[in-house]
Amino acid sequence: MTTPTIDLETTVTRDQPVTQTTGSIQVGTDELDDDTITLSFGGPWGITYADLTPEEAHAVATALDDAATTAQEGPTDE
C-alpha cells in the first residue's frame, strides 16, 4: 500500500515578492509512524520539512479551509 499524499504545484515566495519561483507543497504520512504527518515545501532552494501531529495537521487544514472559504466569498459590504 502506498503512503497517502497530496502534491500541489504553486508559486512560493521566500522573503520578498521579487524572489517568486515555482515550487511544490507535499503532505503525506510518515511511512514509519502513522501518527506523524509530513508537510514539505520544495523548490530550487531545496526542501523544507515540518513533522506535524494529527492535531497540528488538523489545525493547518482548518486554517487553509477557512482562508479558502473567505477568499471564495469575496469582500463583504458592511
Side-chain angles (χ1 to χ4, degrees):
M1 186 164 122
T2 61
T3 304
T5 61
I6 181 171
D7 295 313
L8 173 65
E9 294 294 323
T10 187
T11 298
V12 178
T13 304
R14 298 187 62 181
D15 303 323
Q16 300 293 325
V18 73
T19 62
Q20 286 184 359
T21 185
T22 300
S24 64
I25 298 170
Q26 184 179 59
V27 178
T29 55
D30 188 303
E31 292 180 6
L32 302 176
D33 182 2
D34 288 340
D35 291 333
T36 300
I37 294 90
T38 301
L39 174 65
S40 62
F41 298 86
W45 61 88
I47 301 173
T48 302
Y49 296 92
D51 288 334
L52 306 172
T53 65
E55 294 79 15
E56 292 167 333
H58 184 71
V60 170
T62 299
L64 287 169
D65 188 49
D66 290 348
T69 299
T70 300
Q72 286 177 339
E73 292 173 353
T76 58
D77 294 332
E78 292 187 31

